[in-house]
Amino acid sequence: MLVSFSIFPLDKGVSVGKYVAKMIDIVDRSGLSYRTSAMSTVVEGSWDSVFKVIKKCHQTLMKNCKRVYVVITIDDRKGARNRLKGKVDRVEQVLKRKISR
Amino acid sequence: MLVSFSIFPLDKGVSVGKYVAKMIDIVDRSGLSYRTSAMSTVVEGSWDSVFKVIKKCHQTLMKNCKRVYVVITIDDRKGARNRLKGKVDRVEQVLKRKISR
Amino acid sequence: MLVSFSIFPLDKGVSVGKYVAKMIDIVDRSGLSYRTSAMSTVVEGSWDSVFKVIKKCHQTLMKNCKRVYVVITIDDRKGARNRLKGKVDRVEQVLKRKISR
Amino acid sequence: MLVSFSIFPLDKGVSVGKYVAKMIDIVDRSGLSYRTSAMSTVVEGSWDSVFKVIKKCHQTLMKNCKRVYVVITIDDRKGARNRLKGKVDRVEQVLKRKISR
């Protein structure tokens, strides 16, 4: 299962990098495969393993924030593995050239 | 906590109303407060109570589908209650007129 | 085309109802069919008519805010009409009972 | 302005890589800065330049598909530049180590 998520506070003003970094730190230490981009972090794993991490991020952020927003998208394809890298590989294979990743 | 979610299969063709109806049925029987619109269902409850229902929807849909997509947005505001109705009430209060809901 | 969108500032603190109300006001005056829920507003119309309204919301909010976040989901089904009401009607038809909307 | 988007058909079955590749091809040829991950493509540019590309993707996909779904998230921060790389750099700077990107 591939899960993309973004999480941030609404009550900490325009700069939230410090809070976002703490979230990535939690994902990074979770042991799950992940990739962070400018807009979200994509994690690969089972429903329970992924949502354990997202719940921990949410709880950690709510300790110091009054309002938190989260966006999550899930793409679950039966029997598929190593999609974190594989889906983008497949795009390059179809286009027969490298893309920006 | 307010949670909006949409869930649907990618491998069942253009008409997915039957599958979506089953998902709303699960939410409706969960006992949680909710509202369904044309694009998503908004549920109000604790993290665990809401994600128990979304996980059940996901598992139920994956039984009969090969690929499932989910979009979730969360707005968690400390101490806030009855926001399913209250947030839209507040908009009407500010605008001093009824809006379409 | 059905388009659900949410838009809010990150630099105005925990209460953003006043800003959200202004956005709904713009949608309400646009003449497009719409429904507002606790998490988003769903608008029905052509690509250009809908994105004209969302762009106006974005520009209006950026006048007074330093950072703005937007979430948009689109469901475009060829030949389908009156889906704002019709999609939820269809769910009730399948379930043979009323749901919360 | 940073814009993350995902676009895919609902009526083409479980494998949609061919269609997604065509979308990335359009983004890649647009001249805009972008990065593609397993779940979305993040584009950096003005409202008009970015939505011109997303509209072209949508129109291209609708030519051959009966139903198309799109998810878009926008993070617009006044005066900020080069955020496609800069936002992730900032996370590594705070954490004082490299993360997976």
Side-chain angles (χ1 to χ4, degrees):
Chain A
M1 195 171 84
L2 280 176
V3 182
S4 171
F5 80 105
S6 310
I7 179 167
F8 50 85
L10 294 194
D11 60 310
K12 296 299 179 184
V14 76
S15 294
V16 296
K18 188 179 69 171
Y19 299 94
V20 171
K22 178 64 193 160
M23 303 296 98
I24 311 299
D25 188 39
I26 291 172
V27 175
D28 190 50
R29 291 174 190 279
S30 73
L32 290 176
S33 297
Y34 78 97
R35 297 273 168 94
T36 295
S37 79
M39 287 295 282
S40 66
T41 292
V42 184
V43 178
E44 187 161 20
S46 67
W47 182 281
D48 287 341
S49 64
V50 170
F51 276 99
K52 187 181 167 186
V53 171
I54 299 178
K55 183 184 173 182
K56 187 175 178 181
C57 287
H58 178 258
Q59 286 181 315
T60 303
L61 201 53
M62 283 302 286
K63 271 179 203 160
N64 300 302
C65 302
K66 288 178 189 149
R67 192 169 184 178
V68 167
Y69 196 83
V70 193
V71 181
I72 301 169
T73 55
I74 303 170
D75 174 12
D76 193 7
R77 183 172 175 174
K78 220 172 261 179
R81 291 285 180 281
N82 298 320
R83 302 173 73 212
L84 201 55
K85 186 173 173 295
K87 277 178 78 176
V88 189
D89 287 349
R90 169 74 179 139
V91 168
E92 293 188 337
Q93 196 183 327
V94 174
L95 296 181
K96 295 186 177 67
R97 68 179 193 275
K98 294 287 178 190
I99 59 167
S100 174
R101 54 161 98 189
Chain B
M1 197 171 81
L2 281 175
V3 183
S4 171
F5 80 106
S6 309
I7 179 166
F8 50 86
L10 295 194
D11 60 309
K12 297 299 179 186
V14 75
S15 294
V16 296
K18 188 179 70 172
Y19 299 93
V20 170
K22 178 64 193 160
M23 301 297 100
I24 310 298
D25 188 38
I26 290 172
V27 175
D28 190 50
R29 291 174 191 279
S30 73
L32 289 177
S33 297
Y34 78 96
R35 297 273 168 92
T36 295
S37 79
M39 287 296 281
S40 66
T41 293
V42 184
V43 179
E44 188 162 20
S46 66
W47 182 281
D48 287 342
S49 64
V50 170
F51 276 98
K52 186 181 168 186
V53 170
I54 299 179
K55 184 184 173 181
K56 187 174 179 183
C57 287
H58 178 257
Q59 285 181 317
T60 302
L61 201 54
M62 284 301 288
K63 271 180 203 159
N64 299 303
C65 303
K66 288 177 189 150
R67 191 170 185 178
V68 167
Y69 196 84
V70 192
V71 181
I72 302 169
T73 55
I74 304 171
D75 174 12
D76 193 6
R77 183 172 176 174
K78 217 172 264 179
R81 291 285 178 283
N82 298 319
R83 300 173 73 211
L84 200 55
K85 186 173 173 295
K87 278 178 77 176
V88 189
D89 287 349
R90 168 74 180 141
V91 167
E92 294 188 336
Q93 196 184 328
V94 173
L95 296 181
K96 296 185 177 68
R97 69 178 193 273
K98 295 286 177 192
I99 59 168
S100 175
R101 53 160 97 189
Chain C
M1 196 171 83
L2 281 176
V3 182
S4 170
F5 81 105
S6 309
I7 179 167
F8 51 85
L10 295 193
D11 60 309
K12 297 299 179 186
V14 75
S15 294
V16 295
K18 189 180 67 172
Y19 300 93
V20 171
K22 178 65 193 161
M23 303 296 99
I24 310 298
D25 188 40
I26 290 172
V27 176
D28 190 50
R29 292 174 190 279
S30 74
L32 289 176
S33 296
Y34 78 96
R35 296 274 169 93
T36 295
S37 79
M39 287 296 282
S40 67
T41 292
V42 184
V43 179
E44 187 161 22
S46 68
W47 182 281
D48 288 341
S49 64
V50 170
F51 276 98
K52 187 181 168 188
V53 171
I54 300 179
K55 184 184 173 181
K56 187 175 179 182
C57 287
H58 178 257
Q59 285 181 315
T60 303
L61 202 54
M62 283 303 286
K63 271 180 204 160
N64 300 302
C65 303
K66 289 178 188 149
R67 192 169 184 178
V68 167
Y69 197 83
V70 192
V71 181
I72 302 169
T73 56
I74 303 171
D75 174 13
D76 194 5
R77 183 171 175 173
K78 219 172 261 178
R81 292 285 179 282
N82 298 320
R83 301 173 74 213
L84 201 55
K85 186 173 173 296
K87 278 177 78 177
V88 189
D89 286 350
R90 169 74 180 139
V91 167
E92 293 188 337
Q93 195 183 329
V94 174
L95 297 181
K96 294 185 178 68
R97 70 178 191 275
K98 295 286 177 191
I99 59 168
S100 174
R101 55 161 98 188
Chain D
M1 194 170 84
L2 281 175
V3 182
S4 171
F5 80 105
S6 309
I7 179 167
F8 50 85
L10 295 194
D11 60 309
K12 296 299 178 184
V14 76
S15 295
V16 295
K18 189 179 69 172
Y19 300 93
V20 171
K22 179 64 193 158
M23 302 296 99
I24 310 297
D25 189 38
I26 290 172
V27 175
D28 191 50
R29 292 174 190 278
S30 73
L32 290 176
S33 296
Y34 78 96
R35 298 273 168 92
T36 295
S37 79
M39 287 295 282
S40 66
T41 292
V42 184
V43 179
E44 187 162 20
S46 67
W47 183 281
D48 287 341
S49 63
V50 170
F51 276 99
K52 187 181 167 186
V53 171
I54 299 179
K55 183 183 173 182
K56 188 175 178 182
C57 287
H58 178 256
Q59 285 181 316
T60 303
L61 202 53
M62 284 301 288
K63 271 180 203 159
N64 300 302
C65 302
K66 288 177 189 148
R67 191 169 184 178
V68 167
Y69 196 83
V70 192
V71 181
I72 302 169
T73 55
I74 303 171
D75 174 13
D76 194 4
R77 184 171 174 174
K78 220 171 261 178
R81 293 284 179 283
N82 299 318
R83 301 173 73 211
L84 201 55
K85 186 173 172 295
K87 277 178 78 177
V88 189
D89 287 350
R90 169 75 180 138
V91 168
E92 293 188 337
Q93 195 183 327
V94 173
L95 296 181
K96 295 186 177 67
R97 67 180 194 273
K98 295 286 177 192
I99 58 167
S100 174
R101 53 160 97 188

